[in-house]
Amino acid sequence: MAQRQALRLAMLGGGEGAFIGAVHRMAAGVDGDWRLVAGAFSSDAARNTRSGESLGLDPARVYATFDELLAAERALPEDKRVEAVAIVTPNHLHAPMSIAALDAGFHVMCEKPMSLNLEEAKAIAAAVERSGRHYALAFTYSGYPLVEEARARVERGDFGTIRLVQVEYSQGWLARAIDRDGNKQAEWRTDPARAGLGGCLGDIGTHAFQLAEHVSGLKVESLCAELTTHVPGRRLDDDVSVLLRFAGGARGVLKASQVAAGDENGLRLRVHGELGGLDWAQMEPNTLTLRWLDKPVEVLRTGGPALSEGAAARTRTPAGHPEGYIEAFANIYRGFAGAIRGAAPAMWYPGVEDGVRTMAFVEAVVGNAQSDVKWSALG
Amino acid sequence: MAQRQALRLAMLGGGEGAFIGAVHRMAAGVDGDWRLVAGAFSSDAARNTRSGESLGLDPARVYATFDELLAAERALPEDKRVEAVAIVTPNHLHAPMSIAALDAGFHVMCEKPMSLNLEEAKAIAAAVERSGRHYALAFTYSGYPLVEEARARVERGDFGTIRLVQVEYSQGWLARAIDRDGNKQAEWRTDPARAGLGGCLGDIGTHAFQLAEHVSGLKVESLCAELTTHVPGRRLDDDVSVLLRFAGGARGVLKASQVAAGDENGLRLRVHGELGGLDWAQMEPNTLTLRWLDKPVEVLRTGGPALSEGAAARTRTPAGHPEGYIEAFANIYRGFAGAIRGAAPAMWYPGVEDGVRTMAFVEAVVGNAQSDVKWSALG
Amino acid sequence: MAQRQALRLAMLGGGEGAFIGAVHRMAAGVDGDWRLVAGAFSSDAARNTRSGESLGLDPARVYATFDELLAAERALPEDKRVEAVAIVTPNHLHAPMSIAALDAGFHVMCEKPMSLNLEEAKAIAAAVERSGRHYALAFTYSGYPLVEEARARVERGDFGTIRLVQVEYSQGWLARAIDRDGNKQAEWRTDPARAGLGGCLGDIGTHAFQLAEHVSGLKVESLCAELTTHVPGRRLDDDVSVLLRFAGGARGVLKASQVAAGDENGLRLRVHGELGGLDWAQMEPNTLTLRWLDKPVEVLRTGGPALSEGAAARTRTPAGHPEGYIEAFANIYRGFAGAIRGAAPAMWYPGVEDGVRTMAFVEAVVGNAQSDVKWSALG
Amino acid sequence: MAQRQALRLAMLGGGEGAFIGAVHRMAAGVDGDWRLVAGAFSSDAARNTRSGESLGLDPARVYATFDELLAAERALPEDKRVEAVAIVTPNHLHAPMSIAALDAGFHVMCEKPMSLNLEEAKAIAAAVERSGRHYALAFTYSGYPLVEEARARVERGDFGTIRLVQVEYSQGWLARAIDRDGNKQAEWRTDPARAGLGGCLGDIGTHAFQLAEHVSGLKVESLCAELTTHVPGRRLDDDVSVLLRFAGGARGVLKASQVAAGDENGLRLRVHGELGGLDWAQMEPNTLTLRWLDKPVEVLRTGGPALSEGAAARTRTPAGHPEGYIEAFANIYRGFAGAIRGAAPAMWYPGVEDGVRTMAFVEAVVGNAQSDVKWSALG
């Protein structure tokens, strides 16, 4: 809520009625690190204006187009112009907007998936490299305190060598053909031109994949996949199953679905090593269960005892005061703000590396699923 | 995060290191309805200054004392002065600060409990009445979407006549004598001069009582109580047990403890009527379980199907994206902002009525527990 | 399932359609320690005969009355006559049958509550004393492996001095006036002549009380109670709330209800000491949760690591193969069989002491609830 | 516990220290339908004798070998000889013993997996056919009341057309090389000569597969599999991942592991159709969760409202009295006894069809996993 030190942010997309734009604003608002001062919210002029008004923005900084925004903000004095842009448009705009913004000198927070395909992702990576700007990618779930705890525990070897990685992401909201019935969220997500190569795969399969590699610290070497479209007429997959072979010998399964009718947002990760395993589920994110060969089950809790520094740094309230999705997201924004300010110690947040990797995954899965090849390499 | 339409807020107390001040700031920051512009954070001058700095406030509006703040802000032009104050000090300052702020023309958001005792609570109520200002009391838990759902379901008669109301609030953080070991949170909460009549009773027993009456829609008519101090040397109760008789014949039990070693923040409410019952627990607040005589158990979920308007209005994300404590708190701030702005429809938030009622409860429990009377009336 | 070494059992009551008789037979059947060879199942002759037939008994050993059974079995040679009787009648027959059977030289397994009142309970205790026979009382829940684990952990001091004991037993099956609508189970349980002093209090309040004292190892010194009858026309209490003061300073609450509409069989015990607490719930009996001041939550599991000998002795399958109510009951039958056979080491089972104590509790609660006395001693 | 009408049973294998033999005896003992009267428990003569003694059997009916048992029992008068044999040996003896027993006129209850391979399974099926005897296969988990409920709900179309079937069976007990350290259970299960084609696949993958097809009512048409051996030196797989394509278009994943360190016996099935989905987990078997597109989550409970006849027929106690693994197993024995007695209505139990099908699955998985073929047909 503070303002003097708050970083100035512009939003691209996310006008009235959009889901993820509002989430970005809430996440950025929690810690007082950010102040929304400009935006190009919609290509619909009236909607754009109304969005700016309802957000209390100076009308002069509610721009008709993304290009206008970049040009006008660049022209403002340094202490007034926005420092970063948040890109919350459909996927096909991620790459052009990210690259242009980076090249114009702005830091970028982008929604996932990073881009339509791997080529675009690499182009963004190159833009980050040449611009020297910071780039964050909204793999929100890696912002939860206990996801960081899980990662830290695997890294320090609590479970011994990792053998199994199981990740699932189960939603049901596309069980009906709502993409043909005017639901905007559904409509663009199932349009290859705007969503990219993957449907369910790109939208939530990427989350699952990023979480699995991030926490396990292991890289998938090859995979065997099936993509299915259950709802007649849909143009992209709505159901994903992938067998995973990790470097070092671990084996895994990734299951994502958007037609698991009745399921909400069931992201769950399990990692087992020689000595025990961990189990984390996003819908009750403040609990991390550890099971062991020879000891009682342990349940770690956000804000509770025995947590690592990284988990503690991502926690705002004492144990038993549930922290949710918006707080996890706020941790990404906090880490991003810290990087811009050069804060030390740095708080990790997902970025270019996660983005390029997940787009490689998307391409490999699509390629494998469309072929008779059993195992495809993931570079 | 927006600013033009944001209401201007000053904070009293809540400097560096304070828990609840930070929570208020996060809660107020979520929806962009508020902007912190002034404060008197601490009686320690250096701490006060540092707090204002770290929050990015104009140093001219970081005041040494509460009185200074009121006087200086009143002197500012209407479009610059703060519109409301948030009082997040220890309990003994709630009444004098609330009354002075109201009489100075400011709206007030106050931490619970309302005051040291019932007399003070009534004085605040009178100040609200005469000032015509809005007053909100941070009974945070009533801001959860599914608490509103529970209330609405009872009100519309889903369970028939209510027979049983069971509420418990179980914490363990005072199981050790940390109040004697320099823990500031613990120290003032166990000092009668600053905490008031009740220890555990005032700190969390009031939450439990407010929740029970709010959701059940029933008033406690009489009670039979036991207050215990388990930790040697502690000057106030750390454990509370109360039998409750409600108007209309329902019976209840209220159990609150701060020495339930290992427990986090276990607030749970169960209400049973002739036809079924509801069960809600704060530590997994996005689930409301309904059990029935002749039907399967139903589980309602934040953002899920079959919810009332009031629950939906308090929800920010789709089902399965957990909303937590800060979001519940943000709902109180949102309702309070709406009242100040004259928004329609109004979104209920806890205020004077809840405050006076809970202080009457505190006095009745203390009186009963210190006597041989079995049942004491609660006016 | 074995037979040569199986002990010979007669059943009193428990004919066709009775619930608890069938449960006793299943519990006794699990481990092959018992063989039902005789019975007087019902005062209705046809029903008695049919019950014996369906159980495959020799018609000569299906007796018209309890007295006949005792006389006839006594007259059989020692290696043929029954060694024990299981009494599964309504409560008013427990005392006369138990005493007669004991005095006739038979061991007795009796349903709870022990008797109609404390006087009868003491008379049974005297009969056990003078007969030298073994007496078991079906406080089934104390047969669960993790209840034994809980008891052992408290006893060895894991939690330090105990401060809080909370026990609840919540059922909903009497939320309607089914006792007036021909439900036999409900009908006798709400008839003072057959049920005794307490309704819900005697039927399930006794279970809760026995469990609380058994696990905590503490004795209640005084209590303050409320008994309520919510269903119009019912002659006994259907809802019980009791504040408890234990020797040594621990405080407790016992809540039992049979009008918690929608609840199944919700027996739950929580015990907190200085260092942590335990939490066990009968409806998921294979999990015992331990919470600590400074360590992660631990979850003990039936068949899992770190359990005491007593818990292991009561377990039949590896962890993850759920053991249920019948297995818990079978543990009581197993301990009882062991005592008769003089097995070493003995496996504890509930008996006279638990019975007398619970009947004293019933009398104290009824006396207190009917008076204006706040605290009544429990001898 | 009854005896006259009890069916006479012989046990093959299952001597002292064996796990599954004791489970069979308990399961058979629960309902009084069976009486163990003979056995050939071990090829170790002393162990065999001691087993018979401890079970209270007539020493004349404790046979040194399986062949002796068949011959001797056949020679007994019809009203004395055993009616069925329970085969609880390692897998390699299942086929020869089953076939011999069937051909000798005895009914057979056999442990899973049915046999070492598909050819043997078909030979058993032929023996069942020609002998006219009843054959039951201990796919225990299909005996749970709520598994039957799940099956019935899918069958009657509650979820619409089925799209997703996810089954997992996660154990951790083979995470260490205990098969080389003298653990008998582990040792034979990882010996191809005694276990058959599959390790984890045969031992628990078959359970998972049977459950998936049984409940979904769908047949797997093709599969894509990976088998892994994580523990060095182990001769059979200890980890299984299979992608499934069902007739009609449903897709599935089967995951089984015995190296998921810390996991107990985590069998879980999820089935989703167009309208909703079901979720059942063996470790809390008395809960069946139904999730819907447009309605609140429903939780069905063993013994609770809204259950089908088949579930009710498999339930022994009122809701809230947990029924466990042994009761589920007892339901298989009860159905088997009913079939032998010609009871009507018949209670389904797993048999030849399940056995042949699961062995075909084992062969298809092994074949696919050892090849580069992506999708293999399952006949």
Side-chain angles (χ1 to χ4, degrees):
Chain A
M1 283 183 63
Q3 57 269 11
R4 200 174 47 174
Q5 300 169 324
L7 296 164
R8 292 174 302 277
L9 184 70
M11 182 162 280
L12 310 175
E16 275 185 1
F19 159 57
I20 204 68
V23 168
H24 275 254
R25 290 190 293 267
M26 290 186 278
V30 168
D31 293 316
D33 286 324
W34 294 93
R35 186 173 169 190
L36 182 69
V37 297
F41 300 101
S42 175
S43 52
D44 174 318
R47 201 162 155 262
N48 188 39
T49 304
R50 281 198 310 274
S51 299
E53 266 171 23
S54 79
L55 293 166
L57 297 194
D58 176 352
R61 295 176 84 175
V62 179
Y63 302 98
T65 70
F66 163 60
D67 293 328
E68 241 181 68
L69 183 147
L70 286 194
E73 289 291 324
R74 256 188 120 174
L76 291 176
E78 204 177 334
D79 66 345
K80 218 182 156 205
R81 80 169 70 130
V82 298
E83 289 154 298
V85 300
I87 302 173
V88 295
T89 62
N91 305 347
H92 65 297
L93 299 173
H94 291 182
M97 284 186 172
S98 294
I99 294 168
L102 289 161
D103 284 339
F106 299 104
H107 305 290
V108 170
M109 163 70 79
C110 188
E111 252 313 302
K112 39 54 53 186
M114 192 180 200
S115 54
L116 291 179
N117 52 48
L118 179 57
E119 191 186 355
E120 282 190 356
K122 288 179 173 168
I124 296 170
V128 171
E129 182 73 23
R130 71 174 167 262
S131 69
R133 301 290 89 189
H134 294 284
Y135 174 88
L137 194 53
F139 282 121
T140 311
Y141 305 113
S142 49
Y144 277 111
L146 293 184
V147 167
E148 168 56 19
E149 184 65 29
R151 193 204 59 73
R153 297 248 170 178
V154 172
E155 187 182 50
R156 80 181 191 206
D158 285 18
F159 309 107
T161 299
I162 299 304
R163 289 173 172 164
L164 305 176
V165 179
Q166 295 175 76
V167 65
E168 60 183 63
Y169 198 150
S170 194
Q171 296 183 334
W173 68 294
L174 289 177
R176 291 217 181 97
I178 57 171
D179 32 346
R180 315 183 79 176
D181 298 344
N183 181 303
K184 291 192 63 160
Q185 298 294 332
E187 194 253 340
W188 73 255
R189 274 182 175 79
T190 57
D191 172 7
R194 286 175 288 170
L197 289 172
C200 172
L201 175 62
D203 197 34
I204 62 174
T206 50
H207 270 303
F209 177 79
Q210 189 268 345
L211 191 71
E213 286 204 341
H214 175 60
V215 171
S216 73
L218 299 174
K219 295 295 174 196
V220 171
E221 281 187 339
S222 58
L223 53 79
C224 169
E226 167 146 69
L227 295 177
T228 310
T229 304
H230 287 278
V231 173
R234 187 164 285 163
R235 289 171 293 167
L236 286 169
D237 64 277
D238 51 24
D239 189 54
V240 179
S241 304
V242 192
L243 304 181
L244 305 168
R245 289 179 172 174
F246 290 85
R251 292 293 181 264
V253 177
L254 180 151
K255 174 74 204 172
S257 189
Q258 294 184 310
V259 296
D263 284 8
E264 297 178 347
N265 197 40
L267 174 62
R268 182 184 179 195
L269 177 68
R270 285 174 284 180
V271 178
H272 286 87
E274 300 160 297
L275 306 174
L278 67 83
D279 191 345
W280 179 81
Q282 190 270 153
M283 283 173 38
E284 214 309 61
N286 298 301
T287 292
L288 173 64
T289 305
L290 310 180
R291 298 189 183 87
W292 305 102
L293 278 181
D294 306 313
K295 294 187 298 182
V297 178
E298 286 179 302
V299 180
L300 301 179
R301 296 272 306 157
T302 305
L307 299 184
S308 65
E309 274 182 44
R314 285 164 174 82
T315 305
R316 290 169 179 80
T317 46
H321 298 76
E323 309 216 2
Y325 173 75
I326 291 172
E327 287 86 341
F329 212 144
N331 286 334
I332 311 284
Y333 263 98
R334 187 198 278 186
F336 183 47
I340 294 172
R341 289 166 170 160
M347 189 162 91
W348 179 91
Y349 59 91
V352 163
E353 207 177 323
D354 305 80
V356 172
R357 186 76 188 149
T358 47
M359 293 317 297
F361 170 73
V362 166
E363 288 210 352
V365 167
V366 171
N368 179 275
Q370 290 172 349
S371 78
D372 285 335
V373 173
K374 192 164 186 177
W375 292 99
S376 301
L378 178 53
Chain B
M1 284 183 63
Q3 58 270 10
R4 199 174 48 174
Q5 300 169 324
L7 296 164
R8 292 176 300 279
L9 184 69
M11 183 162 280
L12 309 176
E16 278 185 1
F19 158 56
I20 203 68
V23 169
H24 275 254
R25 289 190 293 267
M26 290 187 277
V30 168
D31 293 316
D33 286 325
W34 293 93
R35 187 173 170 191
L36 182 68
V37 297
F41 300 100
S42 176
S43 52
D44 174 317
R47 201 162 156 262
N48 188 39
T49 302
R50 282 198 309 274
S51 298
E53 267 170 23
S54 79
L55 293 166
L57 298 195
D58 177 353
R61 294 176 85 175
V62 179
Y63 303 97
T65 68
F66 164 59
D67 292 329
E68 244 181 65
L69 184 148
L70 286 194
E73 288 292 324
R74 255 188 119 172
L76 290 175
E78 206 178 333
D79 67 344
K80 214 178 159 208
R81 79 168 70 131
V82 298
E83 288 153 298
V85 300
I87 303 172
V88 295
T89 62
N91 305 347
H92 66 295
L93 298 173
H94 291 182
M97 284 186 171
S98 294
I99 294 168
L102 289 161
D103 284 339
F106 298 105
H107 304 290
V108 170
M109 164 71 79
C110 189
E111 253 312 303
K112 41 53 59 184
M114 193 180 202
S115 53
L116 292 178
N117 52 48
L118 179 57
E119 191 186 354
E120 282 189 357
K122 287 180 173 169
I124 296 171
V128 171
E129 181 75 22
R130 72 174 167 261
S131 69
R133 301 290 88 189
H134 294 285
Y135 174 88
L137 194 52
F139 282 120
T140 311
Y141 305 112
S142 49
Y144 276 112
L146 293 184
V147 167
E148 168 55 20
E149 184 65 27
R151 193 204 59 73
R153 297 251 169 175
V154 173
E155 187 182 49
R156 80 182 191 205
D158 285 18
F159 309 106
T161 300
I162 300 305
R163 287 172 173 164
L164 305 177
V165 178
Q166 296 176 75
V167 65
E168 59 183 63
Y169 199 151
S170 193
Q171 297 182 334
W173 68 294
L174 289 177
R176 290 215 184 98
I178 57 171
D179 32 347
R180 313 182 81 177
D181 299 344
N183 180 303
K184 291 191 62 162
Q185 298 294 332
E187 194 251 342
W188 72 256
R189 274 180 174 81
T190 56
D191 172 6
R194 285 176 288 170
L197 290 172
C200 172
L201 175 63
D203 197 34
I204 61 173
T206 50
H207 270 304
F209 177 80
Q210 191 268 345
L211 191 71
E213 286 204 339
H214 176 61
V215 171
S216 72
L218 298 175
K219 295 295 175 195
V220 171
E221 281 187 339
S222 58
L223 53 79
C224 169
E226 168 146 67
L227 295 178
T228 311
T229 304
H230 286 279
V231 173
R234 187 163 285 163
R235 288 171 293 167
L236 287 169
D237 64 277
D238 50 26
D239 188 55
V240 179
S241 305
V242 191
L243 305 181
L244 305 168
R245 289 178 171 175
F246 290 85
R251 292 293 181 264
V253 176
L254 180 152
K255 174 74 204 172
S257 188
Q258 294 184 312
V259 295
D263 283 9
E264 298 178 347
N265 197 39
L267 174 62
R268 181 183 180 196
L269 176 70
R270 285 175 283 181
V271 178
H272 287 86
E274 299 160 298
L275 306 173
L278 66 83
D279 191 343
W280 180 81
Q282 191 271 150
M283 285 174 35
E284 215 307 61
N286 298 300
T287 292
L288 173 64
T289 305
L290 310 180
R291 298 190 183 87
W292 304 102
L293 277 181
D294 305 314
K295 295 188 297 183
V297 177
E298 288 179 302
V299 180
L300 301 178
R301 296 273 305 157
T302 305
L307 299 185
S308 64
E309 276 182 43
R314 286 165 173 82
T315 305
R316 289 171 180 79
T317 46
H321 298 75
E323 308 215 4
Y325 173 76
I326 291 171
E327 288 86 341
F329 212 144
N331 286 334
I332 311 283
Y333 263 99
R334 187 197 278 186
F336 183 46
I340 294 173
R341 289 165 169 161
M347 190 163 88
W348 179 90
Y349 59 90
V352 163
E353 208 177 324
D354 304 80
V356 171
R357 186 75 187 151
T358 47
M359 293 316 298
F361 170 72
V362 167
E363 289 210 353
V365 167
V366 171
N368 179 274
Q370 291 172 348
S371 77
D372 286 336
V373 173
K374 192 164 189 177
W375 292 98
S376 300
L378 178 53
Chain C
M1 283 184 65
Q3 56 271 11
R4 200 174 46 175
Q5 300 169 323
L7 297 164
R8 293 175 300 278
L9 184 69
M11 182 162 279
L12 310 175
E16 280 184 0
F19 158 57
I20 203 68
V23 169
H24 275 255
R25 288 191 293 266
M26 291 186 277
V30 168
D31 293 315
D33 287 324
W34 294 93
R35 186 172 169 193
L36 182 69
V37 297
F41 300 100
S42 175
S43 54
D44 174 318
R47 202 164 154 260
N48 188 39
T49 303
R50 282 198 309 275
S51 298
E53 268 171 22
S54 79
L55 293 166
L57 298 195
D58 177 352
R61 294 175 86 176
V62 179
Y63 303 97
T65 68
F66 164 60
D67 293 329
E68 243 182 66
L69 184 146
L70 287 194
E73 288 292 324
R74 256 189 119 173
L76 291 175
E78 207 178 331
D79 67 342
K80 216 180 157 205
R81 79 167 72 131
V82 299
E83 288 153 299
V85 300
I87 301 172
V88 296
T89 62
N91 305 348
H92 67 296
L93 298 173
H94 291 182
M97 284 186 171
S98 293
I99 294 168
L102 289 162
D103 285 339
F106 299 105
H107 305 290
V108 169
M109 163 72 79
C110 189
E111 253 311 304
K112 40 53 57 185
M114 192 180 201
S115 54
L116 292 178
N117 52 48
L118 179 57
E119 190 186 356
E120 282 190 356
K122 288 180 173 168
I124 296 170
V128 171
E129 182 74 22
R130 72 175 166 261
S131 69
R133 300 291 88 188
H134 294 284
Y135 174 88
L137 195 52
F139 282 121
T140 311
Y141 305 112
S142 49
Y144 277 111
L146 293 184
V147 167
E148 169 55 19
E149 184 65 27
R151 193 204 58 74
R153 297 251 169 175
V154 173
E155 187 182 50
R156 79 181 191 204
D158 285 17
F159 309 107
T161 300
I162 299 304
R163 287 172 173 165
L164 306 176
V165 178
Q166 296 175 77
V167 65
E168 59 184 63
Y169 199 152
S170 193
Q171 296 183 333
W173 68 293
L174 289 177
R176 292 215 184 98
I178 56 171
D179 33 346
R180 315 182 80 177
D181 299 345
N183 180 303
K184 291 192 63 162
Q185 298 294 332
E187 194 252 340
W188 72 255
R189 274 180 175 81
T190 56
D191 172 6
R194 286 176 287 170
L197 289 172
C200 171
L201 174 63
D203 197 34
I204 62 174
T206 50
H207 270 303
F209 177 79
Q210 191 268 344
L211 191 70
E213 287 204 340
H214 176 60
V215 171
S216 72
L218 299 175
K219 295 296 176 195
V220 172
E221 281 187 338
S222 58
L223 54 80
C224 169
E226 168 147 68
L227 295 178
T228 311
T229 304
H230 287 278
V231 173
R234 187 163 286 163
R235 288 170 294 166
L236 285 169
D237 64 278
D238 50 26
D239 188 54
V240 179
S241 304
V242 192
L243 305 181
L244 304 169
R245 290 178 170 174
F246 289 85
R251 292 294 181 263
V253 176
L254 181 152
K255 173 74 204 174
S257 188
Q258 294 184 311
V259 295
D263 284 9
E264 297 179 347
N265 197 39
L267 174 62
R268 181 183 180 196
L269 177 69
R270 285 174 282 181
V271 178
H272 286 87
E274 299 159 298
L275 306 174
L278 67 83
D279 191 344
W280 179 82
Q282 191 271 152
M283 284 173 38
E284 215 308 61
N286 298 301
T287 292
L288 173 64
T289 305
L290 310 181
R291 299 191 183 88
W292 305 103
L293 278 182
D294 306 313
K295 296 188 297 182
V297 177
E298 287 179 302
V299 180
L300 302 178
R301 296 273 306 158
T302 305
L307 299 185
S308 64
E309 276 181 44
R314 285 165 173 83
T315 305
R316 289 171 180 78
T317 47
H321 298 76
E323 308 215 4
Y325 173 75
I326 291 171
E327 288 86 341
F329 211 145
N331 286 334
I332 310 284
Y333 263 98
R334 187 197 277 186
F336 183 47
I340 294 172
R341 290 165 169 162
M347 190 163 91
W348 180 90
Y349 60 90
V352 162
E353 208 178 323
D354 305 80
V356 171
R357 185 75 188 150
T358 47
M359 293 316 298
F361 170 73
V362 167
E363 288 210 353
V365 167
V366 171
N368 179 274
Q370 291 172 348
S371 78
D372 286 335
V373 173
K374 192 164 189 177
W375 293 98
S376 302
L378 178 53
Chain D
M1 282 185 64
Q3 57 271 9
R4 200 174 47 176
Q5 300 169 324
L7 296 164
R8 292 175 302 277
L9 184 69
M11 182 162 280
L12 309 176
E16 277 185 0
F19 159 57
I20 204 67
V23 168
H24 275 254
R25 290 190 293 268
M26 290 187 278
V30 168
D31 293 316
D33 286 325
W34 294 93
R35 186 173 168 190
L36 181 69
V37 297
F41 299 100
S42 175
S43 52
D44 174 317
R47 201 162 155 262
N48 188 39
T49 303
R50 281 199 308 275
S51 298
E53 266 170 22
S54 80
L55 292 166
L57 298 195
D58 176 352
R61 296 176 84 175
V62 179
Y63 303 97
T65 69
F66 164 59
D67 293 329
E68 241 181 67
L69 183 146
L70 287 194
E73 289 291 325
R74 255 188 121 174
L76 291 176
E78 204 177 334
D79 66 344
K80 218 181 156 206
R81 81 169 68 129
V82 299
E83 289 154 298
V85 300
I87 302 172
V88 295
T89 62
N91 305 347
H92 65 297
L93 299 174
H94 291 181
M97 284 186 171
S98 293
I99 294 168
L102 290 161
D103 284 339
F106 298 105
H107 306 289
V108 169
M109 163 70 79
C110 189
E111 252 313 302
K112 38 55 55 186
M114 192 180 201
S115 54
L116 292 178
N117 52 47
L118 179 57
E119 190 185 356
E120 282 190 355
K122 287 179 174 167
I124 296 170
V128 171
E129 182 74 21
R130 71 175 167 263
S131 69
R133 300 290 89 188
H134 295 283
Y135 174 88
L137 195 52
F139 282 121
T140 311
Y141 305 112
S142 49
Y144 276 111
L146 293 184
V147 167
E148 168 56 19
E149 184 65 28
R151 192 204 60 73
R153 297 250 170 177
V154 173
E155 187 182 51
R156 80 181 190 204
D158 285 19
F159 310 106
T161 300
I162 299 304
R163 288 173 173 164
L164 306 176
V165 179
Q166 296 175 76
V167 65
E168 60 183 63
Y169 198 151
S170 194
Q171 296 183 334
W173 69 294
L174 289 177
R176 292 217 182 96
I178 57 171
D179 32 347
R180 314 182 81 177
D181 299 344
N183 180 303
K184 292 191 63 160
Q185 298 294 331
E187 195 252 339
W188 73 255
R189 275 181 174 79
T190 57
D191 172 7
R194 286 175 288 169
L197 289 172
C200 172
L201 175 63
D203 198 33
I204 62 174
T206 50
H207 271 303
F209 177 79
Q210 189 268 346
L211 192 70
E213 286 204 340
H214 176 60
V215 171
S216 73
L218 298 174
K219 295 295 175 197
V220 171
E221 280 187 339
S222 59
L223 53 79
C224 170
E226 169 148 65
L227 295 178
T228 310
T229 304
H230 287 277
V231 172
R234 187 163 285 163
R235 290 171 292 167
L236 286 169
D237 65 278
D238 51 25
D239 188 54
V240 179
S241 304
V242 192
L243 305 182
L244 305 169
R245 289 179 172 174
F246 289 85
R251 293 293 180 265
V253 177
L254 180 151
K255 173 74 205 173
S257 189
Q258 293 184 311
V259 295
D263 284 9
E264 297 178 348
N265 197 41
L267 174 62
R268 182 183 179 196
L269 177 70
R270 284 174 284 179
V271 178
H272 286 86
E274 300 160 297
L275 306 173
L278 67 83
D279 191 345
W280 179 82
Q282 191 269 153
M283 284 173 39
E284 214 310 62
N286 297 302
T287 292
L288 174 65
T289 304
L290 310 180
R291 298 190 183 88
W292 305 102
L293 278 182
D294 307 312
K295 294 187 298 182
V297 179
E298 286 179 302
V299 181
L300 301 179
R301 297 271 307 156
T302 305
L307 299 184
S308 64
E309 275 182 43
R314 286 164 173 83
T315 305
R316 290 170 179 79
T317 46
H321 298 75
E323 308 215 3
Y325 173 76
I326 292 171
E327 288 86 341
F329 213 144
N331 286 335
I332 311 284
Y333 263 99
R334 187 198 278 186
F336 183 47
I340 294 173
R341 289 166 169 160
M347 190 163 91
W348 180 90
Y349 59 91
V352 163
E353 207 177 323
D354 305 80
V356 172
R357 185 77 187 148
T358 48
M359 292 317 298
F361 170 72
V362 167
E363 289 210 352
V365 167
V366 171
N368 179 274
Q370 290 172 349
S371 78
D372 286 334
V373 174
K374 192 164 187 177
W375 293 98
S376 301
L378 177 53

